[in-house]
Amino acid sequence: MLKVYGIYRSRASRTYWMALELGIEFESIPVIQGYALPEPLAPDARLNTQSPAFLKLNPNGHIPTIDDDGLVLGESVAINLYLASKHRGPLTSGSLQEEGLIAQWSFWAVNEIESQSIRIVQTYDRGLQDTPGGKDTIAVATRMLKKPIGVLDAHLAECEYLVGHRFTVADLNLVEIIRYALSEKEFFAAYPHVLEWVEKCHDRDAFREMMARRAAEA
Ligand SMILES: N[C@@H](CCC(=O)N[C@@H](CS)C(=O)NCC(=O)O)C(=O)O
């Protein structure tokens, strides 16, 4: 059975959402971020991204990591593209052209959006959003997001979803990192097509289930 190493409050949320969309059985093995623990290397520390046992699986020390019948994979976007190809169905490409477009939007999510979204969510997680330093960080991040989010808004003005007029793994890979930045409501108000698309993506049973599990996580 597919094993997912991670926690829902991390980039592993992409993988959990994907597995729930596909309706496949999986086992979640909780691995917390090492930096969240005071002593990640203490003998009684819970399994974390710095634990020697986890580093044997993923020497990068990152979650999510999966073990699918012996295939060990890291990188949430690569994991999702693999799961989509393996299990097929409407979330995956129906043609070579779609495969290219799904890869394009998935890499675009990582290269154009992810680092700025992470800056925003980390500023909020640390409660710094109203401090001068936090405001500066958010201002820089939203300035950097302006062009790509504008490109996305223009695309979504023409198409309901990123590829093939249906929800695919490309939408999931992208919208799950855009979620990290959505606290910046004023910024996103200028992009109505993006907001409409986010709402549609979030109005899915698998997303709701992932968020419920995330909220229930210790
Ligand atoms: N590009 C990677 C990023 C993975 C990543 O950085 N995950 C964070 C949690 S959101 C992590 O494992 N942090 C632990 C650490 O850096 O020690 C992916 O998408 O899977």
Side-chain angles (χ1 to χ4, degrees):
M1 193 203 303
L2 171 67
K3 290 186 186 137
V4 181
Y5 294 81
I7 54 169
Y8 286 80
R9 283 177 190 277
S10 74
R11 239 81 53 92
S13 62
R14 268 191 182 129
T15 304
Y16 290 120
W17 182 3
M18 184 67 187
L20 290 164
E21 285 284 351
L22 293 168
I24 53 177
E25 257 190 273
F26 67 93
E27 181 190 357
S28 174
I29 297 161
V31 179
I32 192 173
Q33 293 91 337
Y35 60 72
L37 296 174
E39 289 191 63
L41 293 177
D44 59 348
R46 57 184 284 197
L47 189 61
N48 68 79
T49 52
Q50 294 173 29
S51 303
F54 180 69
L55 292 174
K56 275 193 196 149
L57 204 62
N58 184 343
N60 298 292
H62 286 156
I63 50 173
T65 298
I66 63 164
D67 181 339
D68 190 31
D69 293 328
L71 172 69
V72 176
L73 268 186
E75 291 298 332
S76 56
V77 162
I79 291 170
N80 280 2
L81 295 175
Y82 161 76
L83 291 175
S85 292
K86 178 173 176 181
H87 297 281
R88 310 304 304 169
L91 264 71
T92 193
S93 55
S95 64
L96 189 58
Q97 285 80 357
E98 281 192 2
E99 192 177 318
L101 290 167
I102 285 175
Q104 173 201 267
W105 283 110
S106 296
F107 291 122
W108 188 86
V110 172
N111 290 317
E112 302 284 340
I113 307 294
E114 192 139 332
S115 51
Q116 306 312 329
S117 271
I118 297 280
R119 276 181 164 188
I120 293 173
V121 78
Q122 285 181 343
T123 304
Y124 277 85
D125 282 353
R126 292 170 188 157
L128 299 175
Q129 65 275 17
D130 295 321
T131 66
K135 282 183 184 172
D136 279 357
T137 302
I138 289 172
V140 171
T142 48
R143 199 161 56 239
M144 303 282 285
L145 284 174
K146 219 173 163 173
K147 187 174 166 201
I149 296 293
V151 167
L152 178 63
D153 199 66
H155 179 73
L156 292 168
E158 302 293 323
C159 318
E160 210 189 338
Y161 289 104
L162 294 178
V163 179
H165 306 284
R166 65 184 192 283
F167 180 83
T168 68
V169 60
D171 297 282
L172 195 162
N173 282 338
L174 176 57
V175 77
E176 189 49 9
I177 200 64
I178 285 186
R179 180 171 66 80
Y180 285 37
L182 288 176
S183 312
E184 281 307 297
K185 290 191 171 44
E186 217 175 295
F187 170 76
F188 279 100
Y191 305 102
H193 302 102
V194 172
L195 286 177
E196 211 177 299
W197 165 79
V198 167
E199 209 175 303
K200 271 187 297 185
C201 295
H202 286 180
D203 188 23
R204 297 181 65 83
D205 290 345
F207 175 76
R208 278 192 282 269
E209 177 61 26
M210 184 278 286
M211 289 301 276
R213 292 183 188 198
R214 183 179 177 277
E217 199 164 57

